[in-house]
Amino acid sequence: MKGKTVVATGATSGVGEKAVLALARMGARIVLVARDQARAQATLGQLERVAPGLGHAAHLADLSSMADTRRVGGLIAGSEPRIDVLVNNAGAMFADRRVTPEGLERTFALNHMAYFLMTRALGGTLRASAPARVVSTASDAHAWASLDFADLQGAKAYSGWRAYGRSKLANILFTREAARRFAGSGVTVNCFHPGFVASRFGSETGGWVSRLVPLARAFALTPDQGADTLVYLASSPEVADVTGGYFVKRKRAEPSAAARDDAAAKRLWLASEALAGP
């Protein structure tokens, strides 16, 4: 990873933070996108300690906002002449249905649309930097989910678990369609399931989930263990030419039938384009 630049969202705690620290130790320069300035500065401090003098940087953005995601994506595209890896990792689950000022349900906005918008914003730079990689954090929570294209925002019926599962299904469908669209460019696109990890995930969910998660963490993987497949997909020569895959514990796995539906993947991409605008 020496001389390479990695742009990463959701990298100030948990799996994302451990992944960027590991990649920095391998020689990568890290560009963070974070919501919280204090945590961003703390992570930059850690990066500087483990891999000093590489010019690690941080940008602040609310990735549940399409406008802010477009802004920070454009800023990074304009300031980074080379991007070797884009890591889409920011995500959350919310017990109550709330919508963003742009009218999107928050889980869908943060867990799916931010992936879509960041990849679109940096796509030109990734192509120009090829060989390059996009790695996105999905989950086996997709397995019980299905997409309702007539109700992508969960307005008819909402539960936090259902919305989260659908967003993770969307991550895998996004990966499949993005891989198809980047085919032949030298840019690979893959996603992975990190496992249940002891991290900040669930701390802002609300309701009974926020009460249960601290108890469940006693049986969870460490963030380093959860980050292992992310680091592998971002750096290993073994997967340099692999694209469109869903990985678990460094192995390519078969997701649910709904996640293998290429027609749904294309339909989701077109719906996302319509929501995102030009």
Side-chain angles (χ1 to χ4, degrees):
M1 297 301 290
K2 289 183 179 178
K4 295 187 177 182
T5 295
V6 176
V7 175
T9 71
T12 60
S13 65
V15 166
E17 184 175 61
K18 294 301 184 181
V20 296
L21 288 170
L23 292 167
R25 290 188 188 97
M26 296 165 70
R29 172 176 170 264
I30 307 299
V31 178
L32 305 175
V33 180
R35 184 183 61 176
D36 183 273
Q37 184 170 13
R39 288 206 300 271
Q41 290 303 314
T43 301
L44 281 178
Q46 291 190 70
L47 288 166
E48 191 60 28
R49 284 191 292 275
V50 302
L54 297 182
H56 307 298
H59 300 272
L60 296 180
D62 177 0
L63 295 178
S64 69
S65 162
M66 290 193 293
D68 215 20
T69 304
R70 282 193 294 266
R71 176 194 62 80
V72 77
L75 181 62
I76 293 170
S79 61
E80 298 294 338
R82 180 176 187 86
I83 299 172
D84 299 278
V85 182
L86 167 62
V87 175
N88 293 308
N89 179 65
M93 180 169 63
F94 303 103
D96 301 319
R97 184 182 186 275
R98 298 182 188 175
V99 297
T100 69
E102 295 156 313
L104 300 185
E105 187 274 314
R106 287 182 302 169
T107 314
F108 182 86
L110 177 60
N111 293 11
H112 167 64
M113 287 303 297
Y115 286 23
F116 177 84
L117 287 164
M118 284 297 293
T119 304
R120 187 174 74 166
L122 302 182
T125 308
L126 288 163
R127 289 174 184 271
S129 305
R133 309 183 189 195
V134 178
V135 182
S136 298
T137 302
S139 171
D140 66 356
H142 81 276
W144 61 78
S146 61
L147 290 186
D148 179 356
F149 283 96
D151 189 30
L152 285 175
Q153 307 308 319
K156 295 177 182 177
Y158 181 85
S159 78
W161 284 110
R162 185 184 299 115
Y164 182 73
R166 286 177 173 175
S167 74
K168 296 294 103 178
L169 171 58
N171 293 159
I172 302 174
L173 292 173
F174 159 78
T175 295
R176 293 176 74 90
E177 182 64 12
R180 187 183 71 81
R181 289 171 181 260
F182 276 113
S185 70
V187 179
T188 63
V189 190
N190 293 291
C191 62
F192 74 104
H193 166 56
F196 177 63
V197 177
S199 69
R200 291 186 68 254
F201 181 82
S203 61
E204 298 178 4
T205 299
W208 63 269
V209 174
S210 288
R211 296 191 294 272
L212 178 63
V213 165
L215 301 175
R217 285 182 186 137
F219 306 97
L221 299 174
T222 67
D224 282 304
Q225 290 171 321
D228 180 70
T229 301
L230 194 168
V231 174
Y232 173 76
L233 290 173
S235 64
S236 176
E238 294 179 3
V239 288
D241 299 319
V242 177
T243 192
Y246 170 68
F247 284 76
V248 180
K249 295 181 179 179
R250 295 194 176 196
K251 302 295 184 182
R252 190 160 185 169
E254 186 171 87
S256 70
R260 302 193 306 273
D261 186 338
D262 288 334
K266 183 175 182 180
R267 187 176 180 185
L268 177 63
W269 189 281
L270 295 175
S272 301
E273 282 187 332
L275 289 169

